[in-house]
Amino acid sequence: MSEYNPLPLVLAAEQFARLPGIGMKTAQRLAYHILTMPAGEVEMFAETLITARKTVRCCSVCRNFTEKETCAVCSDERRNQKLICVVEAPKDVTVIERTGGFDGVYHVLHGLLSPMEGTGPENIHIKELMERLAGEVDEVIMATNPTIEGEATASYISRLIKPMGIKVSRLAYGLPVGASLEFADDVTLVRAMENRNEI
Amino acid sequence: MSEYNPLPLVLAAEQFARLPGIGMKTAQRLAYHILTMPAGEVEMFAETLITARKTVRCCSVCRNFTEKETCAVCSDERRNQKLICVVEAPKDVTVIERTGGFDGVYHVLHGLLSPMEGTGPENIHIKELMERLAGEVDEVIMATNPTIEGEATASYISRLIKPMGIKVSRLAYGLPVGASLEFADDVTLVRAMENRNEI
């Protein structure tokens, strides 16, 4: 931004630009918008973000985001606790819940194996998944994204689980290869869930 | 967002979605990102926005954003104070400053005349512009966007100024009609400034 812009405005734009998917032009536009908002609304916006970061933590069972010790899915007795769907991130839980086609529980890895980025098995919640499998579990559905890292992670985890005699399955390829689970439509996602294959 | 999402996360997404150009999917992505940021960084982000809103105000002369009573352009003695460039918004000042091709000063209207949206002459800083013209001014350049509202506003203001014997000009149409000044490239913008026509 120009040297003629006040520093606090430049700093605000730089903060926005650090968010994922927000380029410098969009960041500047948002920073300008902040200045035109009523001061009370800016404070509410800021406080909402701080509150979200402070009060939301990971479920002690599945690692999904929750305000409580255990998340709403894990503490729901109507859910099949013997069917665990493994996903990369909390947003994937939202996407699958939206379909209403899954009655099991989740396990959120918070990442995928990626040697390129230095993410190994110890950096994502695989150990916690293994600990859950010591209990009574019928099946683990690997619902990581159909990308190289997603496939590699599903494959790695399935090799760990199979010797335990637990069924491991993978979402059916109704999903376009290389795409992101987040952008799949509900019907495709339900079908992929129904046609899951043992791996 | 799903009912299974913690409320603070949903609220954060809703706040992001209120920003211009941010849809619900992007807002959700940003809210999730906030939860994965170090708490200190979220606080810094929030405080930067509050500080920007609190410390940045409008220049008492040209109404551009500034931290001081008078902005850097208006208080710069090397700038031609007799040449006033009228723009819709502070971001347009940034765009024109970036070209380095203008040595006058600005007047920021903070809006355009728009009967459809109920924006009349009293809602934008036209009165303040007229007060400035009581001093010694050689020329006023109307640099509002080449849109219907931008043209109407330029035309309205020029009709007010002409009887005062002050030259009024309009940016040359090097700009693509219907587009936004913000996305013009520097060369086009400099040419439009050079070829401005008296109106």
Side-chain angles (χ1 to χ4, degrees):
Chain A
M1 295 176 89
S2 146
E3 55 184 307
Y4 286 108
N5 273 310
L7 183 63
L9 176 65
V10 176
L11 293 178
E14 281 172 1
Q15 287 288 331
F16 273 118
R18 294 180 64 184
L19 296 175
I22 304 290
M24 203 53 210
K25 279 229 163 169
T26 303
Q28 286 176 16
R29 184 192 292 271
L30 295 176
Y32 278 122
H33 179 75
I34 290 292
L35 298 187
T36 64
M37 282 166 68
E41 283 186 21
V42 176
E43 275 167 34
M44 211 223 288
F45 177 50
E47 277 160 24
T48 304
L49 300 188
I50 291 175
T51 302
R53 180 60 186 79
K54 269 193 192 151
T55 60
V56 178
R57 50 180 173 162
C58 289
C59 169
S60 62
V61 179
C62 75
R63 321 307 299 176
N64 190 16
F65 287 138
T66 179
E67 284 175 278
K68 310 208 184 82
E69 168 71 18
T70 311
C71 78
V73 174
C74 286
S75 50
D76 186 342
E77 291 179 3
R78 291 164 303 179
R79 307 290 293 233
N80 181 357
Q81 305 281 340
K82 296 179 183 176
L83 179 60
I84 300 178
C85 178
V86 178
V87 294
E88 174 188 351
K91 64 173 187 284
D92 298 326
V93 173
T94 307
V95 176
I96 296 176
E97 281 301 296
R98 205 183 54 206
T99 69
F102 177 67
D103 72 341
V105 292
Y106 296 94
H107 189 83
V108 183
L109 296 172
H110 284 272
L112 292 174
L113 296 179
S114 173
M116 296 288 282
E117 293 178 16
T119 312
E122 68 284 0
N123 301 121
I124 59 180
H125 295 296
I126 292 179
K127 195 172 125 267
E128 290 82 352
L129 174 63
M130 291 306 151
E131 286 166 5
R132 291 178 72 180
L133 300 184
E136 214 173 329
V137 173
D138 291 338
E139 181 179 351
V140 175
I141 304 172
M142 297 305 307
T144 48
N145 281 327
T147 56
I148 293 173
E149 286 87 0
E151 288 297 341
T153 307
S155 168
Y156 176 88
I157 294 177
S158 77
R159 280 200 301 272
L160 290 181
I161 297 176
K162 275 185 176 169
M164 304 168 78
I166 296 169
K167 183 178 173 188
V168 188
S169 56
R170 180 83 176 103
L171 285 186
Y173 265 117
L175 305 173
V177 177
S180 175
L181 209 143
E182 192 182 359
F183 298 108
D185 63 273
D186 292 8
V187 179
T188 307
L189 201 56
V190 168
R191 197 150 301 164
M193 186 71 78
E194 283 167 353
N195 298 340
R196 64 188 184 265
N197 304 303
E198 191 164 357
I199 50 179
Chain B
M1 295 177 88
S2 150
E3 56 183 304
Y4 287 108
N5 274 310
L7 183 62
L9 176 64
V10 176
L11 293 178
E14 282 172 0
Q15 287 288 332
F16 274 118
R18 296 179 63 184
L19 297 175
I22 304 290
M24 203 54 209
K25 279 229 162 170
T26 303
Q28 286 176 16
R29 184 192 292 270
L30 294 176
Y32 278 122
H33 179 75
I34 289 292
L35 298 187
T36 64
M37 282 166 68
E41 283 187 20
V42 176
E43 275 167 35
M44 211 224 286
F45 178 49
E47 278 159 24
T48 303
L49 300 189
I50 292 175
T51 302
R53 180 61 185 78
K54 269 191 191 154
T55 60
V56 179
R57 52 180 173 162
C58 288
C59 169
S60 61
V61 180
C62 74
R63 321 306 299 175
N64 190 17
F65 287 139
T66 179
E67 285 175 278
K68 309 208 184 82
E69 168 71 16
T70 311
C71 78
V73 174
C74 285
S75 50
D76 186 343
E77 290 179 2
R78 290 163 305 178
R79 308 289 294 232
N80 181 357
Q81 306 281 339
K82 296 179 181 175
L83 179 61
I84 299 179
C85 178
V86 178
V87 294
E88 174 188 351
K91 65 173 184 284
D92 298 325
V93 174
T94 306
V95 176
I96 296 176
E97 282 301 297
R98 205 183 53 206
T99 69
F102 178 68
D103 73 341
V105 293
Y106 296 94
H107 190 83
V108 183
L109 296 171
H110 284 273
L112 292 174
L113 295 179
S114 172
M116 297 287 284
E117 293 178 18
T119 311
E122 68 284 0
N123 301 119
I124 59 180
H125 296 296
I126 292 179
K127 194 171 128 271
E128 290 82 352
L129 173 62
M130 291 306 152
E131 286 165 6
R132 290 178 72 180
L133 300 184
E136 212 173 330
V137 173
D138 291 337
E139 180 179 351
V140 175
I141 304 172
M142 296 306 307
T144 49
N145 280 328
T147 57
I148 293 172
E149 286 86 2
E151 289 297 340
T153 306
S155 168
Y156 177 89
I157 293 177
S158 77
R159 280 199 302 273
L160 290 181
I161 297 176
K162 274 185 177 169
M164 305 169 78
I166 296 170
K167 183 178 173 188
V168 189
S169 56
R170 179 85 176 101
L171 284 186
Y173 265 119
L175 304 173
V177 177
S180 174
L181 208 142
E182 191 182 359
F183 299 108
D185 63 272
D186 292 7
V187 179
T188 307
L189 202 56
V190 167
R191 197 150 300 163
M193 186 70 79
E194 284 168 354
N195 300 340
R196 63 188 185 265
N197 306 302
E198 192 163 356
I199 49 179

